[in-house]
Short mmCIF file of all heavy atoms in Angstrom, two decimals:
data_model
loop_
_atom_site.label_atom_id
_atom_site.label_comp_id
_atom_site.label_asym_id
_atom_site.label_seq_id
_atom_site.Cartn_x
_atom_site.Cartn_y
_atom_site.Cartn_z
N MET A 183 103.86 74.62 -155.05
CA MET A 183 102.85 75.06 -156.01
C MET A 183 101.75 73.99 -156.07
O MET A 183 102.08 72.81 -155.90
CB MET A 183 103.45 75.17 -157.47
CG MET A 183 104.28 76.37 -157.62
SD MET A 183 104.76 76.50 -159.36
CE MET A 183 104.72 78.17 -159.56
N ALA A 184 100.57 74.43 -156.40
CA ALA A 184 99.48 73.52 -156.52
C ALA A 184 99.58 72.80 -157.82
O ALA A 184 100.18 73.17 -158.75
CB ALA A 184 98.16 74.32 -156.41
N LYS A 185 99.01 71.52 -157.76
CA LYS A 185 99.05 70.72 -158.98
C LYS A 185 98.39 71.37 -160.17
O LYS A 185 98.72 71.20 -161.35
CB LYS A 185 98.50 69.31 -158.70
CG LYS A 185 98.72 68.32 -159.78
CD LYS A 185 98.26 66.97 -159.31
CE LYS A 185 98.64 65.90 -160.37
NZ LYS A 185 98.21 64.59 -160.02
N SER A 186 97.30 72.13 -159.81
CA SER A 186 96.59 72.76 -160.90
C SER A 186 97.40 73.79 -161.67
O SER A 186 97.13 74.13 -162.85
CB SER A 186 95.29 73.46 -160.39
OG SER A 186 95.63 74.48 -159.42
N MET A 187 98.43 74.28 -161.00
CA MET A 187 99.30 75.23 -161.70
C MET A 187 100.14 74.52 -162.71
O MET A 187 100.64 75.21 -163.62
CB MET A 187 100.19 75.93 -160.67
CG MET A 187 99.43 76.75 -159.65
SD MET A 187 98.46 78.11 -160.37
CE MET A 187 99.86 79.21 -160.84
N TRP A 188 100.36 73.23 -162.65
CA TRP A 188 101.17 72.48 -163.57
C TRP A 188 100.42 72.22 -164.86
O TRP A 188 101.05 71.84 -165.84
CB TRP A 188 101.67 71.18 -163.01
CG TRP A 188 102.52 71.43 -161.80
CD1 TRP A 188 103.12 72.52 -161.39
CD2 TRP A 188 102.80 70.41 -160.77
NE1 TRP A 188 103.82 72.31 -160.18
CE2 TRP A 188 103.60 71.05 -159.82
CE3 TRP A 188 102.47 69.06 -160.60
CZ2 TRP A 188 104.10 70.38 -158.66
CZ3 TRP A 188 102.99 68.42 -159.54
CH2 TRP A 188 103.81 69.04 -158.64
N MET A 189 99.09 72.28 -164.86
CA MET A 189 98.32 71.93 -166.05
C MET A 189 98.28 73.08 -167.07
O MET A 189 98.34 74.25 -166.72
CB MET A 189 96.90 71.63 -165.63
CG MET A 189 96.68 70.27 -164.89
SD MET A 189 95.00 69.78 -164.83
CE MET A 189 94.32 70.99 -163.75
N THR A 190 98.27 72.66 -168.29
CA THR A 190 98.10 73.63 -169.36
C THR A 190 96.64 74.14 -169.38
O THR A 190 95.81 73.45 -168.84
CB THR A 190 98.48 73.06 -170.73
OG1 THR A 190 97.57 71.99 -171.08
CG2 THR A 190 99.88 72.53 -170.75
N PRO A 191 96.36 75.25 -170.02
CA PRO A 191 94.99 75.73 -170.11
C PRO A 191 94.03 74.66 -170.81
O PRO A 191 92.96 74.57 -170.38
CB PRO A 191 95.09 76.96 -170.92
CG PRO A 191 96.42 77.46 -170.73
CD PRO A 191 97.37 76.21 -170.56
N GLU A 192 94.56 73.96 -171.76
CA GLU A 192 93.79 73.00 -172.45
C GLU A 192 93.36 71.83 -171.52
O GLU A 192 92.24 71.37 -171.50
CB GLU A 192 94.50 72.42 -173.70
CG GLU A 192 94.69 73.44 -174.80
CD GLU A 192 95.88 74.28 -174.63
OE1 GLU A 192 96.70 74.01 -173.72
OE2 GLU A 192 95.99 75.28 -175.39
N GLU A 193 94.35 71.41 -170.71
CA GLU A 193 94.12 70.30 -169.74
C GLU A 193 93.10 70.76 -168.69
O GLU A 193 92.26 70.05 -168.25
CB GLU A 193 95.38 69.94 -169.05
CG GLU A 193 96.33 69.17 -169.94
CD GLU A 193 97.67 68.89 -169.34
OE1 GLU A 193 98.10 69.71 -168.50
OE2 GLU A 193 98.31 67.86 -169.61
N SER A 194 93.32 72.01 -168.27
CA SER A 194 92.34 72.55 -167.26
C SER A 194 90.91 72.57 -167.76
O SER A 194 89.97 72.23 -167.08
CB SER A 194 92.79 73.92 -166.86
OG SER A 194 91.91 74.50 -165.91
N MET A 195 90.71 73.01 -169.03
CA MET A 195 89.43 73.10 -169.64
C MET A 195 88.87 71.67 -169.78
O MET A 195 87.59 71.44 -169.51
CB MET A 195 89.49 73.77 -170.99
CG MET A 195 89.70 75.28 -170.91
SD MET A 195 88.39 76.16 -170.12
CE MET A 195 87.17 76.06 -171.39
N ARG A 196 89.65 70.74 -170.23
CA ARG A 196 89.19 69.31 -170.37
C ARG A 196 88.78 68.74 -169.02
O ARG A 196 87.73 68.11 -168.91
CB ARG A 196 90.32 68.48 -170.94
CG ARG A 196 89.90 67.26 -171.66
CD ARG A 196 91.02 66.49 -172.28
NE ARG A 196 91.96 67.38 -173.00
CZ ARG A 196 93.33 67.22 -172.84
NH1 ARG A 196 93.79 66.30 -172.21
NH2 ARG A 196 94.12 68.09 -173.52
N LYS A 197 89.48 69.07 -167.96
CA LYS A 197 89.17 68.60 -166.62
C LYS A 197 87.85 69.21 -166.19
O LYS A 197 87.02 68.51 -165.63
CB LYS A 197 90.27 68.94 -165.63
CG LYS A 197 90.06 68.38 -164.30
CD LYS A 197 91.28 68.68 -163.36
CE LYS A 197 91.02 68.13 -161.91
NZ LYS A 197 92.19 68.34 -161.05
N LYS A 198 87.62 70.52 -166.40
CA LYS A 198 86.38 71.12 -165.93
C LYS A 198 85.19 70.57 -166.73
O LYS A 198 84.12 70.31 -166.18
CB LYS A 198 86.46 72.66 -166.28
CG LYS A 198 87.28 73.39 -165.24
CD LYS A 198 87.28 74.93 -165.54
CE LYS A 198 88.19 75.60 -164.58
NZ LYS A 198 88.26 77.03 -164.85
N LYS A 199 85.39 70.27 -168.06
CA LYS A 199 84.37 69.76 -168.89
C LYS A 199 83.97 68.33 -168.40
O LYS A 199 82.75 67.97 -168.32
CB LYS A 199 84.77 69.68 -170.39
CG LYS A 199 83.71 69.31 -171.26
CD LYS A 199 84.15 69.44 -172.75
CE LYS A 199 83.04 69.01 -173.66
NZ LYS A 199 83.38 69.03 -175.09
N MET A 200 84.97 67.58 -168.04
CA MET A 200 84.74 66.17 -167.48
C MET A 200 84.00 66.26 -166.21
O MET A 200 83.08 65.45 -165.96
CB MET A 200 86.07 65.45 -167.37
CG MET A 200 85.96 64.08 -166.87
SD MET A 200 85.09 62.92 -167.96
CE MET A 200 86.39 62.58 -169.11
N LYS A 201 84.36 67.10 -165.31
CA LYS A 201 83.70 67.27 -164.05
C LYS A 201 82.19 67.65 -164.25
O LYS A 201 81.32 67.13 -163.62
CB LYS A 201 84.38 68.27 -163.17
CG LYS A 201 85.55 67.77 -162.48
CD LYS A 201 86.10 68.78 -161.48
CE LYS A 201 87.20 68.24 -160.66
NZ LYS A 201 87.66 69.25 -159.62
N LYS A 202 81.95 68.54 -165.21
CA LYS A 202 80.61 68.95 -165.48
C LYS A 202 79.80 67.85 -166.03
O LYS A 202 78.62 67.58 -165.63
CB LYS A 202 80.67 70.12 -166.46
CG LYS A 202 79.40 70.89 -166.56
CD LYS A 202 79.60 72.14 -167.52
CE LYS A 202 78.59 73.20 -167.24
NZ LYS A 202 78.78 74.32 -168.14
N THR A 203 80.33 67.02 -166.90
CA THR A 203 79.64 65.84 -167.54
C THR A 203 79.38 64.85 -166.47
O THR A 203 78.24 64.36 -166.45
CB THR A 203 80.61 65.26 -168.61
OG1 THR A 203 80.90 66.23 -169.64
CG2 THR A 203 79.89 64.08 -169.27
N ILE A 204 80.30 64.61 -165.59
CA ILE A 204 80.09 63.62 -164.51
C ILE A 204 78.97 64.06 -163.55
O ILE A 204 78.14 63.28 -163.15
CB ILE A 204 81.38 63.34 -163.74
CG1 ILE A 204 82.36 62.58 -164.64
CG2 ILE A 204 81.08 62.58 -162.49
CD1 ILE A 204 83.77 62.41 -164.03
N LEU A 205 78.94 65.38 -163.34
CA LEU A 205 77.92 65.91 -162.45
C LEU A 205 76.50 65.71 -163.07
O LEU A 205 75.58 65.29 -162.37
CB LEU A 205 78.18 67.40 -162.25
CG LEU A 205 77.06 68.20 -161.48
CD1 LEU A 205 77.01 67.77 -160.03
CD2 LEU A 205 77.26 69.71 -161.56
N TYR A 206 76.41 65.99 -164.40
CA TYR A 206 75.08 65.88 -165.08
C TYR A 206 74.67 64.40 -165.08
O TYR A 206 73.51 64.10 -164.88
CB TYR A 206 75.16 66.45 -166.43
CG TYR A 206 75.27 67.94 -166.49
CD1 TYR A 206 75.85 68.57 -167.52
CD2 TYR A 206 74.67 68.71 -165.42
CE1 TYR A 206 75.90 69.96 -167.59
CE2 TYR A 206 74.81 70.12 -165.49
CZ TYR A 206 75.38 70.75 -166.50
OH TYR A 206 75.42 72.11 -166.60
N ILE A 207 75.62 63.45 -165.29
CA ILE A 207 75.27 62.06 -165.34
C ILE A 207 74.85 61.62 -163.97
O ILE A 207 73.89 60.85 -163.79
CB ILE A 207 76.50 61.24 -165.81
CG1 ILE A 207 76.73 61.57 -167.37
CG2 ILE A 207 76.23 59.72 -165.57
CD1 ILE A 207 77.96 60.94 -167.87
N ASN A 208 75.51 62.07 -162.92
CA ASN A 208 75.19 61.79 -161.47
C ASN A 208 73.82 62.31 -161.20
O ASN A 208 73.05 61.58 -160.56
CB ASN A 208 76.24 62.38 -160.66
CG ASN A 208 76.22 61.91 -159.16
OD1 ASN A 208 75.45 61.05 -158.89
ND2 ASN A 208 76.97 62.51 -158.29
N ILE A 209 73.44 63.49 -161.57
CA ILE A 209 72.09 64.02 -161.33
C ILE A 209 71.06 63.15 -162.07
O ILE A 209 69.97 62.87 -161.42
CB ILE A 209 72.05 65.45 -161.77
CG1 ILE A 209 72.89 66.34 -160.85
CG2 ILE A 209 70.60 65.90 -161.80
CD1 ILE A 209 73.06 67.81 -161.27
N ALA A 210 71.30 62.72 -163.27
CA ALA A 210 70.34 61.94 -163.99
C ALA A 210 70.11 60.52 -163.32
O ALA A 210 68.97 60.06 -163.17
CB ALA A 210 70.88 61.72 -165.46
N ILE A 211 71.25 59.95 -162.91
CA ILE A 211 71.15 58.65 -162.21
C ILE A 211 70.39 58.77 -160.97
O ILE A 211 69.52 57.92 -160.64
CB ILE A 211 72.54 58.07 -162.03
CG1 ILE A 211 73.18 57.65 -163.35
CG2 ILE A 211 72.50 56.85 -161.00
CD1 ILE A 211 74.65 57.24 -163.30
N ARG A 212 70.69 59.84 -160.11
CA ARG A 212 69.96 60.00 -158.84
C ARG A 212 68.55 60.27 -159.11
O ARG A 212 67.66 59.73 -158.36
CB ARG A 212 70.57 61.12 -158.10
CG ARG A 212 71.90 60.86 -157.51
CD ARG A 212 72.45 61.99 -156.69
NE ARG A 212 73.74 61.73 -156.20
CZ ARG A 212 74.21 62.16 -155.04
NH1 ARG A 212 73.43 62.85 -154.33
NH2 ARG A 212 75.34 61.84 -154.67
N THR A 213 68.12 60.97 -160.17
CA THR A 213 66.76 61.22 -160.46
C THR A 213 66.03 59.93 -160.85
O THR A 213 64.92 59.72 -160.38
CB THR A 213 66.62 62.22 -161.54
OG1 THR A 213 67.28 63.43 -161.26
CG2 THR A 213 65.18 62.56 -161.96
N ILE A 214 66.66 59.09 -161.64
CA ILE A 214 66.05 57.80 -162.02
C ILE A 214 65.87 56.97 -160.80
O ILE A 214 64.82 56.30 -160.64
CB ILE A 214 66.93 57.10 -163.06
CG1 ILE A 214 66.85 57.85 -164.44
CG2 ILE A 214 66.52 55.66 -163.30
CD1 ILE A 214 67.94 57.57 -165.41
N LEU A 215 66.83 56.82 -159.96
CA LEU A 215 66.79 55.97 -158.76
C LEU A 215 65.68 56.54 -157.79
O LEU A 215 64.92 55.73 -157.31
CB LEU A 215 68.06 55.96 -158.04
CG LEU A 215 69.23 55.16 -158.69
CD1 LEU A 215 70.52 55.33 -157.94
CD2 LEU A 215 68.81 53.66 -158.85
N LEU A 216 65.58 57.84 -157.60
CA LEU A 216 64.54 58.38 -156.79
C LEU A 216 63.22 58.21 -157.36
O LEU A 216 62.22 57.74 -156.58
CB LEU A 216 64.75 59.89 -156.60
CG LEU A 216 63.83 60.64 -155.66
CD1 LEU A 216 63.93 60.04 -154.24
CD2 LEU A 216 64.15 62.16 -155.65
N SER A 217 63.03 58.28 -158.65
CA SER A 217 61.70 58.00 -159.27
C SER A 217 61.34 56.49 -159.11
O SER A 217 60.18 56.20 -158.83
CB SER A 217 61.76 58.32 -160.74
OG SER A 217 62.13 59.70 -160.92
N ALA A 218 62.22 55.65 -159.29
CA ALA A 218 61.98 54.24 -159.11
C ALA A 218 61.56 53.91 -157.65
O ALA A 218 60.62 53.16 -157.45
CB ALA A 218 63.22 53.37 -159.44
N LEU A 219 62.27 54.54 -156.63
CA LEU A 219 61.92 54.32 -155.30
C LEU A 219 60.55 54.82 -154.98
O LEU A 219 59.77 54.07 -154.30
CB LEU A 219 62.95 55.00 -154.45
CG LEU A 219 62.80 54.89 -152.92
CD1 LEU A 219 62.94 53.39 -152.51
CD2 LEU A 219 63.80 55.76 -152.18
N VAL A 220 60.28 55.98 -155.43
CA VAL A 220 58.92 56.57 -155.23
C VAL A 220 57.84 55.70 -155.85
O VAL A 220 56.79 55.45 -155.21
CB VAL A 220 58.89 58.06 -155.71
CG1 VAL A 220 57.43 58.57 -155.75
CG2 VAL A 220 59.76 58.88 -154.86
N THR A 221 58.06 55.17 -157.00
CA THR A 221 57.14 54.33 -157.71
C THR A 221 56.93 53.02 -156.86
O THR A 221 55.77 52.63 -156.71
CB THR A 221 57.59 54.00 -159.14
OG1 THR A 221 57.74 55.24 -159.80
CG2 THR A 221 56.66 53.14 -159.82
N ILE A 222 57.98 52.46 -156.44
CA ILE A 222 57.88 51.23 -155.67
C ILE A 222 57.06 51.46 -154.40
O ILE A 222 56.13 50.68 -154.04
CB ILE A 222 59.27 50.60 -155.40
CG1 ILE A 222 59.91 50.06 -156.70
CG2 ILE A 222 59.15 49.53 -154.32
CD1 ILE A 222 61.34 49.75 -156.59
N LEU A 223 57.39 52.50 -153.64
CA LEU A 223 56.74 52.80 -152.42
C LEU A 223 55.24 53.13 -152.69
O LEU A 223 54.38 52.78 -151.90
CB LEU A 223 57.40 53.99 -151.72
CG LEU A 223 58.78 53.68 -151.13
CD1 LEU A 223 59.42 54.91 -150.60
CD2 LEU A 223 58.74 52.60 -150.08
N ALA A 224 54.95 53.84 -153.72
CA ALA A 224 53.57 54.18 -154.08
C ALA A 224 52.81 52.93 -154.40
O ALA A 224 51.69 52.77 -153.91
CB ALA A 224 53.50 55.10 -155.26
N ASN A 225 53.37 52.01 -155.06
CA ASN A 225 52.68 50.75 -155.33
C ASN A 225 52.47 49.96 -154.12
O ASN A 225 51.41 49.28 -153.95
CB ASN A 225 53.51 49.92 -156.37
CG ASN A 225 53.39 50.42 -157.77
OD1 ASN A 225 52.39 51.08 -158.14
ND2 ASN A 225 54.30 50.15 -158.62
N LYS A 226 53.43 49.92 -153.25
CA LYS A 226 53.27 49.16 -151.93
C LYS A 226 52.10 49.79 -151.08
O LYS A 226 51.31 49.09 -150.53
CB LYS A 226 54.58 49.20 -151.18
CG LYS A 226 55.59 48.23 -151.67
CD LYS A 226 56.74 48.13 -150.74
CE LYS A 226 57.77 47.17 -151.26
NZ LYS A 226 58.80 46.84 -150.32
N VAL A 227 51.99 51.08 -151.02
CA VAL A 227 50.98 51.77 -150.27
C VAL A 227 49.64 51.51 -150.95
O VAL A 227 48.64 51.25 -150.26
CB VAL A 227 51.20 53.28 -150.23
CG1 VAL A 227 50.04 54.00 -149.71
CG2 VAL A 227 52.48 53.55 -149.29
N HIS A 228 49.59 51.54 -152.30
CA HIS A 228 48.29 51.30 -153.00
C HIS A 228 47.81 49.88 -152.81
O HIS A 228 46.64 49.65 -152.82
CB HIS A 228 48.55 51.62 -154.44
CG HIS A 228 47.36 51.47 -155.32
ND1 HIS A 228 46.26 52.20 -155.23
CD2 HIS A 228 47.05 50.48 -156.25
CE1 HIS A 228 45.32 51.80 -156.00
NE2 HIS A 228 45.75 50.77 -156.71
N ASN A 229 48.78 48.94 -152.78
CA ASN A 229 48.36 47.54 -152.74
C ASN A 229 48.10 47.05 -151.23
O ASN A 229 47.85 45.83 -151.07
CB ASN A 229 49.43 46.64 -153.38
CG ASN A 229 49.51 46.86 -154.84
OD1 ASN A 229 48.46 47.29 -155.44
ND2 ASN A 229 50.63 46.66 -155.46
N MET A 230 48.27 47.85 -150.27
CA MET A 230 48.06 47.44 -148.94
C MET A 230 46.50 47.15 -148.74
O MET A 230 45.68 47.88 -149.14
CB MET A 230 48.45 48.51 -147.91
CG MET A 230 49.95 48.72 -147.76
SD MET A 230 50.32 50.04 -146.64
CE MET A 230 51.27 49.15 -145.40
N LYS A 231 46.28 46.06 -147.95
CA LYS A 231 44.88 45.74 -147.65
C LYS A 231 44.46 46.58 -146.47
O LYS A 231 45.24 46.73 -145.53
CB LYS A 231 44.75 44.26 -147.43
CG LYS A 231 45.10 43.43 -148.65
CD LYS A 231 44.89 41.98 -148.52
CE LYS A 231 45.19 41.27 -149.84
NZ LYS A 231 45.08 39.83 -149.69
N PRO A 232 43.22 46.93 -146.43
CA PRO A 232 42.73 47.76 -145.23
C PRO A 232 42.70 46.82 -144.07
O PRO A 232 42.46 45.60 -144.13
CB PRO A 232 41.31 48.16 -145.64
CG PRO A 232 40.98 47.32 -146.84
CD PRO A 232 42.19 46.83 -147.47
N ASN A 233 42.96 47.42 -142.91
CA ASN A 233 42.92 46.72 -141.65
C ASN A 233 41.47 46.34 -141.31
O ASN A 233 40.63 47.24 -141.22
CB ASN A 233 43.54 47.60 -140.58
CG ASN A 233 43.90 46.90 -139.24
OD1 ASN A 233 43.44 45.76 -139.14
ND2 ASN A 233 44.47 47.58 -138.39
N PRO A 234 41.15 45.11 -140.97
CA PRO A 234 39.78 44.69 -140.73
C PRO A 234 39.27 45.21 -139.38
O PRO A 234 38.07 45.17 -139.06
CB PRO A 234 39.82 43.16 -140.73
CG PRO A 234 41.19 42.89 -140.44
CD PRO A 234 42.06 43.97 -141.01
N PHE A 235 40.10 45.72 -138.55
CA PHE A 235 39.65 46.22 -137.21
C PHE A 235 39.29 47.60 -137.21
O PHE A 235 39.64 48.56 -137.51
CB PHE A 235 40.77 45.92 -136.16
CG PHE A 235 41.12 44.50 -136.04
CD1 PHE A 235 42.32 44.00 -136.46
CD2 PHE A 235 40.19 43.63 -135.44
CE1 PHE A 235 42.64 42.69 -136.32
CE2 PHE A 235 40.53 42.33 -135.23
CZ PHE A 235 41.71 41.85 -135.66
#
């Protein structure tokens, strides 16, 4: 039998809720990191000096 069959319905719901919460936190963290990376790259491109040649 699968381990999920040993859980009570309450435990199963708690596990699903926890996975959903972790997913949302993960998405938020990735969005923040991506925004920071894009900002840093944009600032580097903006601050580049033009090539004199």
Side-chain angles (χ1 to χ4, degrees):
M183 287 188 146
K185 192 174 184 179
S186 63
M187 297 298 288
W188 298 343
M189 288 193 291
T190 64
E192 292 84 10
E193 290 172 330
S194 180
M195 290 294 289
R196 203 172 321 132
K197 185 175 179 181
K198 284 181 183 179
K199 187 175 181 181
M200 179 64 79
K201 280 187 175 186
K202 197 174 199 181
T203 303
I204 291 171
L205 175 68
Y206 290 152
I207 292 171
N208 192 5
I209 290 171
I211 290 171
R212 286 181 185 216
T213 302
I214 291 167
L215 290 175
L216 182 62
S217 299
L219 180 64
V220 168
T221 302
I222 291 168
L223 290 176
N225 284 334
K226 283 187 178 192
V227 169
H228 179 67
N229 292 332
M230 288 179 122
K231 294 184 178 179
N233 192 351
F235 297 109

